Amino acid sequence: MKIKIINPNTTAAMTDSIWQAAVGAARPGTEILCVSPATGPASIECYVDDYLAVQGVIAEVLKGEREEGADAYVIACFGDPGLQAARELTDKPVLGIAEAAMAMATVLAPSFSVVSVLDRSVKVTQDLVLAYGKERFCRSVRATGLGVLEFADREKGMRALEAQSRLAVEQDGAECILLGCAGFVDFMRALNESLGVPVLDGVVPAVAMAQAMVDIGLRTSKHNTWKYPEPKAFVGFEHLDINGEGV
């Protein structure tokens, strides 16, 4: 089994952290291919970042289909950029880490909160909560006030995440914490030990779900909404060859 994980930003250190977390969740015999696209933002914290990352996600899914033999895909950004588009390009399972984390959280606990990055990122996450129908479970979306790349300072990042996670539990009534950035995978274990409630990043649940879906032979529906795109001209995107073989 080969699971391709796409980090939609172009920061190699974050891609490496995501790969390490994914390998830890993979079974023997599961190959983890973790990549960043050739184009995209260094981090994803707002709508512009989110939308500019989608072209790179599309390119990597097409490559996974035509060259790499991927059995499933994981989009490793808590905004799930390009998730619906990716599902149109393949009949393999495609998981976004936000959708996977929210799905698993509602099995583990009656409520959750998401702890994210900048204040402006809160609305992006709130939109996803609504899109996935999880608003009745979500107690809050909290921001640490730090940008994604600032979490390279592990001590500073841990303090910020723990402070907001504790407020979510004690003030908002959350019984599970979701780490709202793929770059937070390195903090999950320590937060689980300190908070007393389940703490999930999205990468590990998505890998676990992808393995299970491949195991039981599940495929993305091509009946209507996620069927392959209709052939047409895509001006300025010829390098993607969306109408080419394998789509």
Side-chain angles (χ1 to χ4, degrees):
M1 185 189 307
K2 180 184 287 186
I3 298 175
K4 182 170 185 177
I5 302 178
I6 303 166
N7 170 21
N9 74 41
T10 57
T11 299
M14 191 177 302
T15 304
D16 184 60
S17 291
I18 293 166
W19 177 81
Q20 291 184 48
V23 167
R27 296 194 309 264
T30 296
E31 178 184 353
I32 300 293
L33 175 62
C34 193
V35 302
S36 284
T39 62
S43 61
I44 300 173
E45 294 154 330
C46 65
Y47 290 106
V48 167
D49 297 339
D50 194 84
Y51 295 164
L52 289 178
V54 173
Q55 180 180 332
V57 171
I58 289 171
E60 290 298 336
V61 172
L62 291 174
K63 187 176 180 181
E65 291 295 284
R66 295 169 180 169
E67 302 176 23
E68 296 164 338
D71 296 300
Y73 299 87
V74 171
I75 299 175
C77 169
F78 210 84
D80 291 352
L83 177 59
Q84 309 302 325
R87 286 171 172 163
E88 293 181 351
L89 299 172
T90 178
D91 66 349
K92 315 290 177 50
V94 185
L95 294 102
I97 64 169
E99 187 173 25
M102 291 181 205
M104 194 163 284
T106 57
V107 176
L108 294 174
S111 62
F112 65 83
S113 285
V114 182
V115 180
S116 189
V117 285
L118 300 176
D119 291 351
R120 68 178 301 170
S121 305
V122 169
K123 177 65 162 55
V124 179
T125 302
Q126 289 173 335
D127 285 352
L128 277 183
V129 171
L130 290 170
Y132 297 149
K134 301 299 186 185
E135 62 272 18
R136 61 188 286 258
F137 301 100
C138 184
R139 294 294 175 263
S140 60
V141 178
R142 285 185 166 269
T144 59
L146 300 179
V148 170
L149 301 182
E150 291 183 79
F151 285 87
D153 182 337
R154 299 299 176 83
E155 186 176 340
K156 180 180 179 181
M158 181 63 184
R159 285 198 306 269
L161 285 170
E162 186 171 12
Q164 291 302 318
S165 297
R166 200 168 293 284
L167 289 173
V169 173
E170 295 175 356
Q171 296 186 6
D172 305 335
E175 297 187 52
C176 178
I177 297 296
L178 305 186
L179 301 180
C181 174
F184 294 170
V185 289
D186 295 333
F187 302 99
M188 181 182 65
R189 182 170 297 177
L191 288 168
N192 262 298
E193 292 174 356
S194 69
L195 291 174
V197 299
V199 178
L200 299 177
D201 81 294
V203 174
V204 171
V207 169
M209 292 171 72
Q211 289 181 126
M213 293 171 79
V214 174
D215 278 345
I216 59 179
L218 295 180
R219 295 272 177 167
T220 295
S221 172
K222 292 296 172 187
H223 177 69
N224 183 30
T225 304
W226 289 332
K227 65 184 179 181
Y228 294 106
E230 288 74 16
K232 67 188 70 171
F234 292 92
V235 178
F237 296 95
E238 290 81 5
H239 62 289
L240 292 177
D241 192 21
I242 293 174
N243 297 320
E245 183 180 354
V247 176

